[in-house]
Amino acid sequence: QVQLVESGGGLVQAGGSLRLSCAASGSIFNIRTMGWYRQAPGNQRELVAVITSGGSTNYADSVKGRFLLSRDNARNTVYLQMNSLKADDTAVYYCNAAGLARNGASYNSWGQGTQVTVSS
């Protein structure tokens, strides 16, 4: 079982910055992808950014140029630096990790979510 612990959400004014962190722990053999999704009230959960074990990243068009996702493989941790925040970025942000556990089984784990609120 793989657990994800998120931190760094909060309230910020439009134009401000926040950094989210997500640390994975448990029976991890590898982490193939790790990243962030978000869900605003009344909307479906959507991809924000994801990074592979090799360091390749994929961003939602709405955050390109403003958000930066980085990964510390030694600590099984990802960091989402969010700059130039807009009211539309307000949502619950969920960390996700997928890969193989030590027993050879695949996992696809989610964090509990952290609220990001951007005031205009």
Side-chain angles (χ1 to χ4, degrees), residues 67-87:
F67 291 11
L68 179 66
L69 182 64
S70 60
R71 177 170 175 167
D72 184 338
N73 287 332
R75 291 181 168 82
N76 291 333
T77 299
V78 291
Y79 306 95
L80 183 66
Q81 178 66 43
M82 304 186 293
N83 300 322
S84 302
L85 283 160
K86 306 174 182 179

Side-chain angles (χ1 to χ4, degrees), residues 83-94:
N83 300 322
S84 302
L85 283 160
K86 306 174 182 179
D88 286 348
D89 295 317
T90 295
V92 178
Y93 285 67
Y94 296 91

Side-chain angles (χ1 to χ4, degrees), residues 11-88:
L11 173 65
V12 65
Q13 288 188 332
S17 298
L18 282 175
R19 190 174 88 147
L20 305 182
S21 300
C22 175
S25 62
S27 182
I28 299 170
F29 177 74
N30 66 31
I31 303 177
R32 289 177 174 163
T33 62
M34 197 166 178
W36 292 90
Y37 291 71
R38 67 186 181 188
Q39 187 168 18
N43 291 353
Q44 291 187 333
R45 191 172 296 188
E46 63 178 8
L47 171 73
V48 177
V50 66
I51 189 167
T52 69
S53 57
S56 298
T57 53
N58 185 34
Y59 294 91
D61 287 344
S62 60
V63 307
K64 283 180 181 176
R66 300 188 297 122
F67 291 11
L68 179 66
L69 182 64
S70 60
R71 177 170 175 167
D72 184 338
N73 287 332
R75 291 181 168 82
N76 291 333
T77 299
V78 291
Y79 306 95
L80 183 66
Q81 178 66 43
M82 304 186 293
N83 300 322
S84 302
L85 283 160
K86 306 174 182 179
D88 286 348

